[in-house]
Amino acid sequence: LAKTSSRALVHIIISSIVRHSSIDYNNMKCFIALLFLSTVLVSVVQGKPNFIVMQPDDLRFFEEWTPPPHYPRRAQIETFPCATDNCLPNIESLRTNGLQMMEAYTASAKCGTSRFSTITGRYPSRSAYSRQINSERDIAQVTIPNTKLEDVNGLNDCSEDNLAALLQQNGYRTGVVGKWHLKRSTGNFDSEAFQDEIRACGFDFVASIYADNLDGNWHDGTFSHNMEYMTAKGIEFIQNDDDSEEPFFLYFNPTAPHSSGDVLEALTTFPCTNTPDGILMDEPIVDGMTKGTTCEKYRQTVIDRANGSTENNDLGAIWVDDAVGALIKALTDSNQLANTFFLFQMDHGQEAKGTLWEGGVRLAQFVHFPDNFPAGSQFHGMVSTVDIGPTILDYAGISESYPMDGKSWRLAVEDSTMASTWDNDRCLFFELGQDRAVRCGCYKYMNLEPGSDTFDRGNQRGLDVDANDRETLYNLCDEDENYELGSNKEATDVKGSEFAMLEELRSFYDCHLDRVKANQDPEYSDCGYSPTPALPTFSCFSGETEVEVKGKGSTKMSVLQLGDQVRVAGGSFESIYSFGHRQDSVVAEYLQLLPTKLELSNDHMIFIRGKGAIPGSMVEIGDILSNGDAISAISTVKRRGVYAPFTASGTLVVNGVEVSSFVSFQGSDSLMVGRWKTPLTWQWLARTFEAPHRVMCRHFVDYCVIESYTPVGISVWVANPLRLTQWLLEQHVMVLSLVLLPLTGALVIVSLLDTILSYPMLALLALTSTMVLLRRSSHHAKFGKL
């Protein structure tokens, strides 16, 4: 409806102009182009991606996927289970045709605790349920029974503080299929009531739910693993019979190949019609699995492809792979594959499951997203299950409405220069029982409770642990500081020779324990290194600067709101239609200009008499500001908060001085193409490039009533044009010129639309006058010929 209404509005304006000026519509080429551009602009808001997160239960880390080093003793070497070369083709398609995370981790190496970190973006010790149980402990006992997605004591993990609830609140259809493991279940299990509890956690669609492992007391024994039914329900959700155009989020959790239910027995003994939702009248028909055959015959093909193996891991992997293929086909058939972010991951490592060793916390993670990731992409930075929530929200253009421990890796993946900061300048924490570990760059610190699974199994399997010391330190990298995939570096404790590193990581460990302590208010500031974000260099104004707000008087930048009318250059008032950058908590560096105490970043532009709009880096002592003051001193200050309010004119009056809403990308007042300084000022270019955003926010206000920001505080409307501009400036002069000229021309037309919509009568008068002059000219020309 919004799309139709917006297009109709522009059409009405143009048609009205045509009727009043008696111009042939076919000759209105510029207006036809305008109509096309407006349609494209309105369509932009409908391009949000779909999301699928798939977490098979206890899937092995196959050698073909580059697993972590194995235990020195009794290593588990797992290769693809089929005799043919084309084994697990669908999972392989996600990996080879998408993005493979080479150093992906779970925050906790158990099924339920890993899933909590995935769906919330938080460490499992932060679970509200866990905080209640562990309120008397200095170190929380992180276990599956202690980690549930429930609202407890005013902390709303279920109803508000999870990925599904947040996506649902922002227009996404949300669904979950398969294993849950995040609610308490009892012997008197009521499937419908249990599903209703899950719906309360932000899911519109809940089906084929396995409350816990198949050997749990909730299970009545009438069904087992059932990938056909589970996949059928996933496809039902994707296809969406109500024809809604809302984007979707599907959390898809196969129970296979978990050994709590024997996979061979499930394939041969339990019919497809036996499901956790009851007994079906008919077998589920799934294209790529049971379609065109019977369930029994299809299941026999799973067994046949396992090359004689009856192992849960082998049969389960093939069965899960078929489910992946069926989901891909459903997405392809509904023309949604290219715009679907499909993340496939293990729930934890398998060889060292239930421990904090690399074989327990490292996992395989692949992201298939054709609109964004070229085939064969790899990312070598450290990522965690806690990063999934922030990353999905970043791609969805939705702000984090509750604090998360994870960070979006979107910018790091899209900017190759950022990858090293995610490897060398980042710390990840791992929790299980009362054991904790932290990896920062190459080094991994562990603090283990004697007798814990991590401690005992490490001792038994050849890793270096000390019965007299809880602390260990490992260097996981080779001589070139690359993560070591050969020999197991956890076989050598280096704390005796790396005392400074031991001290540093111990301090990060202590910091983490303090941040997540159950008996005090949660704290989410970083402990340890944090990857450097790509965009926050555009700091704009500090929160201490002031503007004049109509009806309110002088107001600090930090409390400005969308819609506030502020004084701009020339003395009039204009509404703030957007914050191109807004981040309340970050500390940034600013230039402070005396005597006005105006605080702006190096790249932000200010109007100087005789120079026009120039970036802060070009300002000099003695320059005359718009209010007549001469700059007497320039100093550097650090302030909390980053703000860039946008107005229609692209100007503001801040601390009594006229400034721009925009930044310069080149440290100059005008665009530089090679050594040539073009006549295109950055003030004009920035306002022109902002035209689509300005048109949508000023004239189709529903789109900007609530603004969404990336994790670094950039408006989602601004982030992509910002990246495009940065990319353009890195290209050869010829490429820059070829792209910039037509793009600028198109955006000038959009600016024209802004003018027409803002001043329709003036635009009509100008057009009518022009047409009258053209007619008179045409009449005189004809008369002259006669």
Side-chain angles (χ1 to χ4, degrees):
L1 178 61
K3 181 176 179 179
T4 304
S5 301
S6 303
R7 187 185 301 168
L9 178 60
V10 177
H11 183 78
I12 289 168
I13 293 171
I14 296 172
S15 298
S16 176
I17 295 172
V18 171
R19 285 198 306 273
H20 285 87
S21 57
S22 302
I23 303 171
D24 182 0
Y25 193 87
N26 292 326
N27 292 330
M28 300 284 290
K29 292 183 179 180
C30 66
F31 285 111
I32 293 173
L34 197 63
L35 180 59
F36 170 76
L37 279 171
S38 67
T39 302
V40 171
L41 287 172
V42 177
S43 299
V44 165
V45 301
Q46 299 187 328
K48 290 196 172 186
N50 305 307
F51 299 99
I52 297 177
V53 174
M54 185 172 183
Q55 265 183 306
D57 202 0
D58 277 13
L59 187 69
R60 288 292 168 93
F61 205 144
F62 295 107
E63 294 298 306
E64 291 84 350
W65 296 343
T66 320
H70 298 285
Y71 280 133
R73 298 181 196 146
R74 303 194 306 277
Q76 270 180 348
I77 309 298
E78 296 284 345
T79 58
F80 284 170
C82 318
T84 62
D85 291 336
N86 189 30
C87 190
L88 309 185
N90 301 301
I91 300 174
E92 276 294 272
S93 176
L94 297 180
R95 181 176 77 91
T96 60
N97 292 316
L99 172 68
Q100 180 174 2
M101 294 300 190
M102 304 304 292
E103 296 181 41
Y105 286 88
T106 178
S108 186
K110 284 281 191 176
C111 308
T113 54
S114 175
R115 292 172 202 281
F116 179 87
S117 65
T118 296
I119 199 66
T120 64
R122 289 173 166 175
Y123 290 110
S125 60
R126 293 196 187 275
S127 156
Y129 190 74
S130 171
R131 289 174 63 83
Q132 181 184 49
I133 292 172
N134 289 293
S135 60
E136 301 302 318
R137 292 190 176 103
D138 288 332
I139 303 177
Q141 186 77 21
V142 173
T143 64
I144 293 174
N146 289 357
T147 310
K148 302 302 176 186
L149 194 72
E150 299 187 7
D151 291 351
V152 179
N153 294 336
L155 298 176
N156 300 320
D157 288 354
C158 170
S159 59
E160 295 179 9
D161 296 349
N162 68 76
L163 180 59
L166 190 47
L167 288 169
Q168 185 186 61
Q169 293 162 16
N170 285 272
Y172 271 76
R173 290 189 303 114
T174 54
V176 60
V177 175
K179 186 174 183 178
W180 184 240
H181 224 173
L182 292 172
K183 287 278 184 186
R184 290 166 290 176
S185 57
T186 64
N188 300 316
F189 185 70
D190 183 335
S191 177
E192 275 299 319
F194 195 81
Q195 290 189 16
D196 285 342
E197 290 183 29
I198 297 175
R199 288 186 185 93
C201 294
F203 290 97
D204 303 307
F205 181 93
V206 181
S208 188
I209 292 298
Y210 290 69
D212 205 325
N213 292 334
L214 281 162
D215 56 5
N217 62 1
W218 69 280
H219 182 232
D220 63 7
T222 61
F223 60 92
S224 184
H225 301 295
N226 190 335
M227 288 308 305
E228 298 84 8
Y229 178 66
M230 194 179 298
T231 307
K233 300 309 287 186
I235 291 172
E236 178 185 327
F237 174 75
I238 288 171
Q239 291 177 337
N240 189 25
D241 290 339
D242 65 6
D243 292 326
S244 168
E245 292 187 3
E246 294 173 313
F248 68 77
F249 165 68
L250 173 62
Y251 193 26
F252 190 87
N253 293 315
T255 56
H258 197 284
S259 60
S260 61
D262 186 273
V263 177
L264 180 62
E265 183 182 36
L267 288 166
T268 57
T269 304
F270 290 89
C272 285
T273 49
N274 289 27
T275 80
D277 295 336
I279 307 298
L280 306 181
M281 295 293 293
D282 301 301
E283 292 183 348
I285 299 173
V286 181
D287 200 351
M289 297 176 84
T290 59
K291 187 175 182 180
T293 185
T294 65
C295 194
E296 182 180 2
K297 289 180 179 178
Y298 157 68
R299 287 182 168 183
Q300 185 59 46
T301 71
V302 175
I303 297 170
D304 292 343
R305 282 177 279 163
N307 195 29
S309 173
T310 59
E311 293 290 325
N312 289 321
N313 301 316
D314 296 337
L315 294 170
I318 295 169
W319 209 1
V320 167
D321 184 76
D322 287 350
V324 172
L327 292 176
I328 290 174
K329 189 169 193 321
L331 292 168
T332 303
D333 291 345
S334 58
N335 199 31
Q336 298 183 91
L337 182 63
N339 192 39
T340 297
F341 176 108
F342 193 147
L343 186 147
F344 178 94
Q345 69 175 13
M346 304 162 62
D347 50 355
H348 46 70
Q350 192 61 20
E351 182 174 4
K353 173 186 175 181
T355 77
L356 300 185
W357 302 113
E358 289 293 283
V361 293
R362 264 273 323 268
L363 49 79
Q365 187 183 86
F366 318 132
V367 189
H368 186 268
F369 193 12
D371 277 359
N372 284 264
F373 306 140
S377 300
Q378 292 184 342
F379 183 64
H380 290 266
M382 293 191 299
V383 298
S384 168
T385 47
V386 296
D387 298 327
I388 293 171
T391 300
I392 284 178
L393 293 176
D394 193 359
Y395 278 104
I398 296 171
S399 299
E400 297 174 19
S401 63
Y402 68 91
M404 298 184 183
D405 291 303
K407 299 183 184 301
S408 170
W409 43 250
R410 176 180 180 176
L411 298 177
V413 166
E414 293 178 356
D415 182 354
S416 59
T417 63
M418 286 291 297
S420 62
T421 68
W422 277 67
D423 201 1
N424 302 322
D425 300 333
R426 186 174 197 201
C427 293
L428 293 178
F429 295 89
F430 312 101
E431 306 176 335
L432 198 62
Q434 289 193 301
D435 292 341
R436 297 293 185 269
V438 52
R439 180 186 166 189
C440 299
C442 286
Y443 288 88
K444 181 176 178 180
Y445 168 89
M446 300 178 72
N447 193 298
L448 307 179
E449 185 179 25
S452 71
D453 286 346
T454 302
F455 187 95
D456 287 349
R457 221 177 314 165
N459 191 42
Q460 296 161 6
R461 305 292 285 274
L463 300 178
D464 195 352
V465 294
D466 186 347
N468 299 313
D469 193 347
R470 293 177 59 109
E471 293 185 312
T472 55
L473 181 72
Y474 307 102
N475 182 352
L476 303 181
C477 295
D478 59 22
E479 293 180 355
D480 297 323
E481 297 190 350
N482 295 316
Y483 182 81
E484 176 67 74
L485 291 171
S487 60
N488 195 315
K489 292 305 199 75
E490 290 173 317
T492 305
D493 184 352
V494 300
K495 68 174 179 287
S497 59
E498 297 277 4
F499 185 72
M501 185 59 65
L502 175 69
E503 285 284 305
E504 184 174 41
L505 267 64
R506 180 192 291 144
S507 71
F508 297 161
Y509 159 82
D510 290 337
C511 172
H512 177 71
L513 290 185
D514 185 63
R515 294 286 190 273
V516 301
K517 194 171 289 185
N519 57 9
Q520 64 185 31
D521 290 339
E523 168 65 48
Y524 285 88
S525 57
D526 288 331
C527 292
Y529 314 142
S530 183
T532 305
L535 293 179
T537 53
F538 301 104
S539 304
C540 310
F541 301 107
S542 81
E544 295 300 309
T545 54
E546 296 184 352
V547 296
E548 183 183 350
V549 178
K550 193 172 185 178
K552 298 180 182 179
S554 185
T555 303
K556 281 193 174 183
M557 192 74 70
S558 57
V559 297
L560 280 180
Q561 300 295 323
L562 289 175
D564 280 348
Q565 289 193 316
V566 297
R567 191 173 295 281
V568 298
S572 61
F573 287 89
E574 293 178 356
S575 294
I576 297 173
Y577 69 83
S578 170
F579 284 90
H581 194 177
R582 179 164 194 158
Q583 209 170 8
D584 296 314
S585 59
V586 72
V587 175
E589 195 171 84
Y590 297 95
L591 299 176
Q592 186 184 73
L593 309 183
L594 298 180
T596 63
K597 293 188 178 181
L598 173 66
E599 296 172 355
L600 77 169
S601 58
N602 277 320
D603 42 40
H604 205 91
M605 292 188 290
I606 178 173
F607 292 97
I608 299 294
R609 288 187 183 179
K611 294 183 178 180
I614 63 173
S617 59
M618 291 180 64
V619 174
E620 299 174 335
I621 293 175
D623 280 345
I624 306 300
L625 300 170
S626 62
N627 65 355
D629 287 343
I631 296 175
S632 58
I634 303 174
S635 59
T636 301
V637 295
K638 287 187 177 180
R639 296 280 189 252
R640 185 173 299 279
V642 169
Y643 306 93
F646 284 4
T647 63
S649 64
T651 67
L652 294 155
V653 175
V654 181
N655 283 30
V657 177
E658 292 181 3
V659 297
S660 170
S661 292
F662 309 120
V663 298
S664 164
F665 285 83
Q666 295 178 312
S668 60
D669 59 339
S670 299
L671 173 67
M672 302 294 295
V673 178
R675 296 181 179 180
W676 176 49
K677 182 177 181 178
T678 73
L680 303 177
T681 68
W682 277 111
Q683 174 67 17
W684 182 86
L685 279 170
R687 187 172 181 277
T688 301
F689 270 59
E690 250 294 295
H693 184 194
R694 188 167 62 250
V695 167
M696 297 304 299
C697 288
R698 295 183 68 212
H699 306 295
F700 310 113
V701 291
D702 288 345
Y703 293 111
C704 299
V705 173
I706 299 175
E707 190 165 46
S708 297
Y709 303 91
T710 70
V712 294
I714 305 295
S715 166
V716 295
W717 274 97
V718 175
N720 285 328
L722 190 56
R723 294 186 189 102
L724 173 62
T725 304
Q726 291 173 316
W727 177 83
L728 275 174
L729 294 174
E730 294 170 356
Q731 306 311 305
H732 189 274
V733 171
M734 289 298 295
V735 175
L736 175 61
S737 302
L738 287 172
V739 175
L740 189 62
L741 288 174
L743 180 61
T744 303
L747 291 170
V748 167
I749 295 174
V750 181
S751 292
L752 215 59
L753 173 62
D754 183 29
T755 303
I756 291 171
L757 293 175
S758 300
Y759 310 103
M761 295 308 297
L762 286 177
L764 179 60
L765 180 61
L767 182 65
T768 304
S769 301
T770 302
M771 293 303 105
V772 169
L773 290 173
L774 288 174
R775 279 187 163 187
R776 286 181 178 176
S777 298
S778 176
H779 175 74
H780 288 310
K782 290 180 181 179
F783 183 77
K785 288 181 181 180
L786 292 174

